[in-house]
Amino acid sequence: MRFHIMWRRDLPGSEFTPFYETDDIYEAKDFAMRLAFEEVNVVYVEDTKLGERVRDFDAEKYKK
């Protein structure tokens, strides 16, 4: 899977763990937004193909 949704609780000592994996950037965005809705969650999406965090879900480089 290309996109990994990583999350952790905003508590001391907690670490990021994989929550969900997908090949669809829009599905990754949807899951990340739903998970981030709770203010105790810290969330980011990682692109394993490019080895970086996703900053712009509409960028062309993620649609290939």
Side-chain angles (χ1 to χ4, degrees):
M1 295 291 157
R2 179 174 176 179
F3 299 104
H4 292 210
I5 294 85
M6 305 295 289
W7 79 288
R8 71 174 172 86
R9 293 277 185 198
D10 194 14
L11 300 171
S14 62
E15 296 183 17
F16 282 100
T17 57
F19 179 79
Y20 187 75
E21 299 175 357
T22 182
D23 286 323
D24 184 351
I25 187 67
Y26 297 111
E27 186 177 29
K29 178 182 178 181
D30 183 54
F31 269 92
M33 294 297 289
R34 290 171 189 254
L35 199 57
F37 188 71
E38 288 187 41
E39 58 188 53
V40 295
N41 293 337
V42 179
V43 181
Y44 72 89
V45 176
E46 181 181 3
D47 181 346
T48 58
K49 181 178 177 184
L50 299 177
E52 62 186 34
R53 288 186 181 186
V54 175
R55 305 257 184 230
D56 179 7
F57 289 95
D58 296 322
E60 282 298 316
K61 64 183 177 180
Y62 301 124
K63 297 176 184 175
K64 298 177 183 177

